[in-house]
């Protein structure tokens, strides 16, 4: 069976509609089920540092190179990059708080990204979004890196399943 151009376009739209619907349904369900845990995490972060907001946002690059506001639970000190500028976290990074070590190790720091999925900036599955500073650096080192912006970034993807943060 050969599809004509109109049928291909229709099936493409149906695919993206189905994927978006799936993202909304699963993220709403996750938000309802995980909200008690998220409140506990926010309280723990607040107890660890009462002057820090438990949830922070950061600019990240998404589909088509569009920059969006990315949400995460705070796992580092508020002034983590004040003197150093943007840098990737390292193992035993002194900027990471006590609570931050636990929520990073268990990946619970990623839970607020459910809001990014509901906003339509991210999908449940896709390449991880990165900060604009690092996107430019990575594109200079590897021009093919830009291809990852052809799809929506995700909370999880193959790299996280098979390579952790490598």
């Amino acid at each position: 069976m050969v599809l004509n151009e109109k049928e291909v376009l229709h099936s493409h739209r149906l695919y993206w509609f189905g994927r978006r619907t799936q993202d909304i349904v699963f993220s709403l369900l996750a938000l309802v089920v995980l909200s008690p845990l998220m409140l506990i995490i926010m309280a723990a972060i607040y107890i660890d540092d009462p002057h820090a907001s438990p949830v922070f946002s950061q600019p990240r690059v998404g589909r088509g190179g569009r920059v969006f506001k990315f949400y995460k639970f705070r796992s580092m000190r508020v002034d983590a990059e004040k003197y150093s500028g943007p840098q990737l976290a390292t193992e035993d990074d002194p900027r990471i708080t006590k609570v931050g070590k636990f929520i990073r190790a268990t990946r619970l720091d990623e839970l607020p990204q459910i809001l990014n999925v509901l906003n339509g900036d991210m999908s449940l599955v896709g390449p991880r979004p990165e900060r604009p500073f690092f996107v430019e650096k990575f594109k200079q080192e590897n021009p093919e890196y830009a291809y990852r912006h052809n799809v929506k970034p995700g909370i999880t993807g193959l790299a996280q399943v098979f390579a952790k943060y490598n």
Side-chain angles (χ1 to χ4, degrees), residues 91 107 128 148 156-166:
E91 198 170 324
R107 307 290 191 258
R128 297 291 294 152
R148 67 187 303 132
T156 191
L158 287 176
Q160 287 67 46
V161 173
F162 292 111
K164 296 192 179 179
Y165 282 111
N166 297 335

Side-chain angles (χ1 to χ4, degrees), residues 51-69:
H51 303 292
S53 170
V55 177
F56 81 99
S57 66
Q58 206 176 43
R60 297 286 175 111
V61 179
R63 185 174 183 197
R66 191 175 72 75
V67 176
F68 66 96
K69 203 180 266 194

Side-chain angles (χ1 to χ4, degrees), residues 9-155:
L9 184 59
H10 179 71
S11 66
H12 183 75
R13 285 183 183 148
L14 280 176
Y15 169 79
W16 288 112
F17 175 77
R19 183 159 177 178
R20 179 71 183 130
T21 302
Q22 183 180 5
D23 282 345
I24 292 169
V25 169
F26 283 117
S27 56
L28 281 173
L29 182 63
L31 196 58
V32 169
V33 171
L34 296 171
S35 59
L37 176 61
M38 292 172 76
L39 288 171
I40 291 168
I41 293 168
M42 287 192 295
I45 293 168
Y46 180 78
I47 290 167
D48 197 24
D49 184 357
H51 303 292
S53 170
V55 177
F56 81 99
S57 66
Q58 206 176 43
R60 297 286 175 111
V61 179
R63 185 174 183 197
R66 191 175 72 75
V67 176
F68 66 96
K69 203 180 266 194
F70 177 83
Y71 299 105
K72 239 180 150 171
F73 281 129
R74 183 173 301 284
S75 62
M76 290 190 176
R77 296 188 327 257
V78 175
D79 63 350
E81 294 182 336
K82 184 176 181 180
Y83 301 108
S84 65
Q87 62 182 33
L88 297 172
T90 59
E91 198 170 324
D92 297 324
D93 196 317
R95 302 170 300 158
I96 300 173
T97 64
K98 292 177 207 160
V99 172
K101 284 183 184 182
F102 174 75
I103 64 173
R104 278 176 168 254
T106 56
R107 307 290 191 258
L108 294 172
D109 61 325
E110 311 284 353
L111 290 177
Q113 292 165 39
I114 294 168
L115 299 173
N116 290 116
V117 175
L118 286 173
N119 287 342
D121 295 321
M122 290 176 65
S123 186
L124 294 171
V125 178
R128 297 291 294 152
E130 193 48 81
R131 293 187 278 173
F133 173 85
F134 292 111
V135 168
E136 290 308 313
K137 183 179 174 188
F138 297 155
K139 284 195 308 192
Q140 288 174 357
E141 294 170 5
N142 179 7
E144 293 172 350
Y145 180 84
Y147 289 130
R148 67 187 303 132
H149 297 116
N150 290 339
V151 296
K152 278 187 186 179
I155 293 177

